[in-house]
Amino acid sequence: QTVVTQEPSFSVSPGGTVTFTCGLSSGSVSSDFYPSWYQQTPGQAPRTLIYSTKTRSSGVPDRFSGSILGNKAALTITGAQADDESDYYCVLYMGSGISVFGGGTKLTVL
Amino acid sequence: QLQLQESGPGLVKPSETLSLTCSVSGGSISSSIHYWGWIRQPPGKGLEWIGSIRHTGNTFYNPSLKSRVTVSVDTSKNQFSLKLSSVTAADRAVYYCARHLMEATTSHFDSWGQGILVTVSS
């Protein structure tokens, strides 16, 4: 079974830039996997940030951006703010109606 | 504005069937471009997609859960439901329902319910 991989944790200074990645245990991620990204703070439902690799969901600030970097999908936060401290999840579409979540990345802003 | 609300028992006995319903308001579950999905999250752990259904009844399931999962839709009530059979302590989780846009150029969850915690215990 294919595993979607994410870094377990990251830290960034306020105002800094951080890039998370979303990969596959076997193979490369492309836009054909329709990568999407979700932000979740403790006790809250996820919030959709990015879909179809790089399209921002309504109301999402432009400091969040999505891309393909090498063989992985990536989420970049430019000018990190304190309230960006959250868990971030990617989802890849595997075809045949199957979606797989990555394990999530915990972002600390300090 | 679209709203999704999960409902159902918060406590289920081991080996029994977990049953949840998601009520959709502010939009039609009979949308031609949307599926409706269930996602769960064990306490302190990551998110896991369970399955998604279209108003036509077309379903897709997580292969690892497929043998125990049934997702159904009731268009007359603008609701869809989840049944998970033979539950164990490992099924203790917050269960989210979500709108799932899945078409030729995208697949993503674009609206979420607030979630409901289901505990498995005798």
Side-chain angles (χ1 to χ4, degrees):
Chain A
Q1 183 176 349
T2 301
V3 174
V4 177
T5 61
Q6 294 186 248
E7 299 88 355
S9 63
F10 253 111
S11 64
V12 65
S13 300
T17 296
V18 61
T19 297
F20 314 130
T21 66
C22 176
L24 289 169
S25 56
S26 176
S28 299
V29 176
S30 69
S31 58
D32 292 339
F33 286 83
Y34 310 139
S36 55
W37 293 90
Y38 306 85
Q39 177 191 48
Q40 187 183 37
T41 53
Q44 299 297 313
R47 169 198 182 196
T48 307
L49 293 177
I50 300 283
Y51 60 92
S52 299
T53 305
K54 60 183 181 180
T55 303
R56 274 187 296 276
S57 191
S58 177
V60 175
D62 59 7
R63 66 176 186 274
F64 293 91
S65 61
S67 63
I68 298 291
L69 287 181
N71 62 351
K72 297 181 180 181
L75 174 70
T76 299
I77 306 176
T78 304
Q81 300 181 1
D83 61 4
D84 295 335
E85 187 162 291
S86 302
D87 295 326
Y88 292 86
Y89 294 91
C90 69
V91 174
L92 298 180
Y93 177 69
M94 300 302 187
S96 301
I98 305 301
S99 296
V100 180
F101 280 85
T105 297
K106 184 178 183 62
L107 177 66
T108 302
V109 181
L110 48 70
Chain B
Q1 182 178 351
L2 187 75
Q3 292 190 318
L4 298 95
Q5 179 68 59
E6 304 88 351
S7 61
L11 180 64
V12 182
K13 290 182 169 58
S15 80
E16 296 192 344
T17 296
L18 176 160
S19 295
L20 297 174
T21 295
C22 182
S23 298
V24 179
S25 59
S28 174
I29 205 166
S30 297
S31 164
S32 61
I33 62 170
H34 290 104
Y35 281 74
W36 304 88
W38 289 98
I39 298 100
R40 70 178 182 176
Q41 184 173 38
K45 297 189 177 181
L47 297 161
E48 178 181 37
W49 172 71
I50 300 170
S52 297
I53 190 167
R54 202 162 197 170
H55 69 94
T56 56
N58 190 39
T59 52
F60 296 108
Y61 296 130
N62 184 327
S64 68
L65 297 169
K66 187 174 183 177
S67 63
R68 298 195 293 132
V69 172
T70 301
V71 179
S72 58
V73 63
D74 187 337
T75 55
S76 67
K77 295 182 178 179
N78 227 35
Q79 296 176 337
F80 62 108
S81 298
L82 168 70
K83 291 188 185 299
L84 180 66
S85 64
S86 306
V87 297
T88 69
D91 295 310
R92 179 176 185 258
V94 175
Y95 286 77
Y96 295 100
C97 60
R99 189 172 70 174
H100 186 177
L101 179 54
M102 182 163 48
E103 56 175 7
T105 59
T106 190
S107 174
H108 66 277
F109 305 98
D110 64 3
S111 188
W112 296 73
Q114 66 183 25
I116 183 170
L117 174 63
V118 179
T119 297
V120 178
S121 176
S122 56

